[in-house]
Amino acid sequence: MIPAADLPIALTAHTPCFRSEAGSYDRDTRGLIRQHQFMKVEIVRIVDPEQADAELEKMLGHAEARMRELGLAYRVVMLAAGDTGFSAQLTYDIEVWLPSQNTYREISSVSNFGTFQARRANIRTRGTDGKPKLVATLNGSGLPIGRTLAALIEQYQQEDGSILLPEPLVPYLGFRRIAADGGIVLAVCAFPSDYPFRPPLTAGSSVCSGR
C-alpha cells in the first residue's frame, strides 16, 4: 500500500536490452539502427489514476527535451489502437529523422498503462474516501545509444564530410568535431569541480573551443 502523499513516484533505471531477430526478416540487421543488444534508460511513474494522463504528457515532455537539447529533427506520433500494445491505454512514439533512409524511425516511447500493471502486481493506494484503490503506472524510455548516435552522425554531417556534434555533448566527449578522416578536434573547457564526467583535458576558458 503506497501512501497517497507519496504519489507520484518517478523512477529511472539504466538497463541492458536484448532484441530477438526472429521475425525481423533480415531488415536492419546490420549497423546501429537495429541492434541485438543495446543500453538505454527506462523511466517509470507510479501515480494516482486521475493524474495519469497529465503525467504521461509530462513524461513525453521529458523525452522531447532531450531531442531538443541535441538539436535532432523528430516528430511525435500517437499510436492508433491497432498499433498500441495489449496492456497500454495510450502510447506516444518519438521518431527521429534518418536522412540515409529518408524516413523517421522510433527512438523513444512513453505509455500510460492505466491500472493494468498495478492490478497484476497488486500495487494500491488509498483514495480520498480512505478506501484502497489501484494506482496507475506509466513506462517510457530514454534515447538508445546506437540509434541516437546514428541520428547524430547523419544529421550533423557537414559538406566536407566532417561531423559537428551538438554543444551539450562537448563536456562529455571532450571534442566538438569529427574530421572526415575520422580524427577528432579536442575541445579545451573549464569544468566545475563537481562535474560528473570530466574528460582528461587541461582546463582553459569557460567556453569550449575546438569547433
Side-chain angles (χ1 to χ4, degrees), residues 54-161:
E55 292 292 333
L56 179 64
E57 298 299 325
K58 185 182 296 185
M59 289 176 66
L60 176 63
H62 291 165
E64 285 192 83
R66 304 290 80 76
M67 300 296 288
R68 290 193 295 267
E69 284 182 327
L70 294 175
L72 291 172
Y74 73 95
R75 69 181 182 185
V76 177
V77 178
M78 180 189 293
L79 296 191
D83 295 325
T84 302
F86 170 73
S87 57
Q89 290 185 356
L90 178 62
T91 295
Y92 290 114
D93 278 357
I94 296 179
E95 299 180 342
V96 68
W97 176 252
L98 292 178
S100 65
Q101 298 187 352
N102 195 36
T103 190
Y104 288 92
R105 298 295 298 269
E106 179 194 341
I107 196 169
S108 181
S109 181
V110 293
S111 298
N112 175 11
F113 290 92
T115 59
F116 184 92
Q117 294 174 330
R119 181 173 286 104
R120 293 169 65 88
N122 196 28
I123 306 173
R124 298 175 180 270
T125 187
R126 291 189 184 277
T128 55
D129 58 1
K131 295 181 179 180
K133 69 175 185 178
L134 295 166
V135 299
T137 60
L138 300 93
N139 298 167
S141 62
L143 306 182
I145 294 174
R147 193 164 289 190
T148 303
L149 178 59
L152 288 169
I153 291 172
E154 293 190 14
Q155 292 195 28
Y156 278 91
Q157 188 169 30
Q158 308 299 298
E159 290 185 3
D160 63 359

